Amino acid sequence: MNSTVRTDRSFGYVSVAAILLGAAVFGYGLLVTSVSVLGGGWIAAIGLALALSGAFDTAWAGRRLGLSAGDRRTLSLSCLAVAAVLAVAFVVVNGFGGVEVTEFESP
């Protein structure tokens, strides 16, 4: 029985999931910019940080950028921390209701 474990995969499932989720959040942020530029940019920054976290976790990024496994882990966790801080700050600043549209009435 051949029970070798392949550890040289370029992309793991968690990395791909983080990249896809980050891309979806980034796209949503771009859509929200038509309603609120600051809110949409903030959401897009959260998505970008999450996508970068997943991208830095791949062996491909290590080979492409010349990073060791420890450096990749540090960059990945740092981007994940930035995404978490931005998400918590967004909820604190905007409340749990999200980005709202305010209508101005002319006199």
Side-chain angles (χ1 to χ4, degrees):
M1 216 163 95
N2 189 359
S3 62
T4 59
V5 177
R6 185 175 175 200
T7 60
D8 62 337
R9 293 187 321 198
S10 289
F11 297 96
Y13 296 118
V14 175
S15 298
V16 170
I19 293 169
L20 291 176
L21 181 62
V25 172
F26 181 77
Y28 177 71
L30 293 181
L31 290 175
V32 172
T33 55
S34 64
V35 176
S36 169
V37 175
L38 180 61
W42 204 332
I43 293 170
I46 294 168
L48 181 63
L50 185 59
L52 285 175
S53 173
F56 283 133
D57 194 37
T58 63
W60 173 83
R63 287 190 308 269
R64 187 82 169 147
L65 301 173
L67 300 171
S68 68
D71 291 339
R72 287 188 299 117
R73 190 174 314 111
T74 301
L75 280 171
S76 178
L77 290 175
S78 298
C79 288
L80 185 61
V82 167
V85 167
L86 284 172
V88 168
F90 183 81
V91 170
V92 168
V93 169
N94 294 311
F96 290 97
V99 178
E100 296 182 15
V101 179
T102 57
E103 294 183 19
F104 294 104
E105 294 183 23
S106 60

